[in-house]
Amino acid sequence: PRQEELPDAARELSQGGRVSVFLKAGHLDDEELVDIFYDAESDRIVPLRSKRVATVNTHGTGCTLSSAIAAFLARGYALDDAAAAAKEYIAGAIAAGAHYRIGHGHGPVHHFYRFWE
């Protein structure tokens, strides 16, 4: 897919506006990552931007992102605010863990970067 196709794809995946959808753009080749969050409650597309980080340490980003959304919702965030806060968190975790060399292949993000000294 191309970046400009993501909003329509998110709406289509929402099953007629019944469920909200978060589409990650990490596998696209663009310099800037623009994830798309479709908020079914408000019928609104929310573009969530971050810079691409050159790293192989991206293992588990989808799981971490969805867990972060759930955690922010549990803290009382509105749905679109939870998605935006989770995007900010995962972008920071990727950047903070970018230079780690752990084993072979794709390594983890730095989940605890906000607490690490």
Side-chain angles (χ1 to χ4, degrees):
R2 294 185 322 245
Q3 181 69 53
E4 59 272 6
E5 297 172 328
L6 293 184
D8 288 337
R11 279 197 173 97
E12 185 175 328
L13 289 168
S14 76
Q15 301 173 358
R18 292 194 324 236
V19 297
S20 295
V21 175
F22 194 117
L23 293 180
K24 293 178 11 178
H27 292 289
L28 300 178
D29 292 330
D30 301 329
E31 188 68 26
E32 181 184 42
L33 299 177
V34 185
D35 295 345
I36 297 297
F37 177 67
Y38 171 67
D39 186 341
E41 293 175 1
S42 64
D43 189 35
R44 196 166 66 102
I45 293 288
V46 180
L48 302 167
R49 301 175 185 282
S50 65
K51 291 183 180 180
R52 178 176 300 280
V53 176
T55 182
V56 296
N57 295 334
T58 56
H59 183 76
T61 54
C63 296
T64 299
L65 178 66
S66 61
S67 296
I69 292 170
F72 285 115
L73 287 171
R75 293 180 67 188
Y77 283 57
L79 187 55
D80 56 344
D81 292 335
K87 167 66 176 188
E88 181 181 331
Y89 167 74
I90 193 62
I94 291 170
H99 300 294
Y100 287 152
R101 296 295 171 248
I102 302 171
H104 301 286
H106 291 275
V109 300
H110 189 341
H111 293 95
F112 302 108
Y113 75 97
R114 290 183 174 171
F115 306 105
W116 210 267
E117 304 245 350

